[in-house]
Amino acid sequence: MTQPTENQINFRFQSPDGEVSVIEAMVTAEFMNLADYLQKLMARAHGLEGGDERLMGQVTSQAEEFTLLIISEQQREQINSFPEGTELVVNATLEYHRVPWELMRVNDQFWGLWFSLGRLVSDLAIAVSPSTPIQNAYVFNSDALELISATTEQTNVSRRLRQLFEPTSNSLTNPATNVGAISRQEFLELLQTQDWFHFAGHAGESGQT
């Protein structure tokens, strides 16, 4: 897949029968502002017991606008033609991995429910200068769904970290670690002790994790 430019996103769709299509889109400031707003709406909805129909209706409405800001009508028609269960990999720089791509809309449904969606970090993703070496890095995958895209993301980020920082640091540790479910405390400890922390996969929430 061709690497995206700085403000470009590549969406790679692979249908269950193996057919592959790549759609390119450009990110704008307006799109990113709406992405941040949607994340806040979802956080509010998640915090309400039993959900909130009015709030979820607002999320759906904003998600439609969110989709149209980056996807043309022609592209949307093509995306709507992909069957449910199509694998979708979002290839972008790290900055755009925080975008809630799962909330994009397809056939009156969210991308996250219609597609098997994963993220892939492009070669432009790690922009930290090698003159400031990373001493400790964790790139791990505890994805219970065992998505191929999560494993690929883990491998690519780990390889890129080694390319950038191993020549300047002899103590780069844990460049790729597979773990099962971890507790909140273990997660917080990792965040506090690592110079670079990257999670590849999907997180679940329960009273224990």
Side-chain angles (χ1 to χ4, degrees):
M1 179 160 50
T2 303
Q3 289 295 318
T5 58
E6 186 175 355
N7 296 318
Q8 181 181 327
I9 308 293
N10 287 353
F11 302 109
R12 182 186 186 275
F13 298 87
Q14 181 169 345
S15 62
D17 62 7
E19 183 179 351
V20 174
S21 300
V22 177
I23 291 177
E24 297 179 353
M26 297 299 294
V27 174
T28 64
E30 183 181 5
F31 175 83
M32 292 301 294
N33 288 337
L34 188 51
D36 290 340
Y37 178 65
L38 273 170
Q39 286 180 315
K40 293 174 183 177
L41 275 182
M42 286 301 295
R44 286 172 54 198
H46 182 70
L48 296 174
E49 177 147 359
D52 183 297
E53 290 186 8
R54 183 189 61 80
L55 191 56
M56 286 309 299
Q58 189 177 356
V59 169
T60 301
S61 175
Q62 291 296 313
E64 289 285 352
E65 180 181 346
F66 179 59
T67 304
L68 292 175
L69 282 175
I70 194 172
I71 300 295
S72 69
E73 287 292 346
Q74 182 177 0
Q75 289 173 328
R76 188 165 188 176
E77 288 180 10
Q78 182 180 1
I79 292 171
N80 285 345
S81 71
F82 298 133
E84 188 173 2
T86 293
E87 182 177 287
L88 165 59
V89 176
V90 181
N91 187 15
T93 60
L94 200 61
E95 175 186 4
Y96 300 129
H97 279 241
R98 65 184 176 85
V99 171
W101 300 110
E102 291 80 0
L103 295 181
M104 300 275 277
R105 300 288 289 172
V106 54
N107 293 321
D108 297 322
Q109 186 57 273
F110 293 112
W111 277 18
L113 297 176
W114 190 263
F115 299 123
S116 175
L117 192 153
R119 289 163 167 79
L120 180 65
V121 182
S122 76
D123 286 344
L124 295 174
I126 302 176
V128 182
S129 170
S131 63
T132 308
I134 286 178
Q135 300 296 328
N136 301 288
Y138 266 83
V139 183
F140 70 84
N141 172 11
S142 62
D143 186 10
L145 299 178
E146 299 183 351
L147 295 178
I148 293 174
S149 57
T151 303
T152 302
E153 177 182 335
Q154 178 193 30
T155 301
N156 287 349
V157 172
S158 300
R159 182 175 64 244
R160 188 65 173 143
L161 279 170
R162 286 196 177 280
Q163 289 173 346
L164 284 174
F165 298 109
E166 276 200 329
T168 59
S169 173
N170 294 321
S171 57
L172 179 65
T173 59
N174 300 302
T177 303
N178 286 294
V179 299
I182 61 175
S183 69
R184 285 191 179 93
Q185 185 59 39
E186 290 171 326
F187 180 77
L188 291 174
E189 288 176 359
L190 283 174
L191 288 179
Q192 293 168 0
T193 58
Q194 303 306 306
D195 300 319
W196 184 285
F197 182 89
H198 186 98
F199 174 80
H202 288 251
E205 182 179 9
S206 71
Q208 303 299 321
T209 58

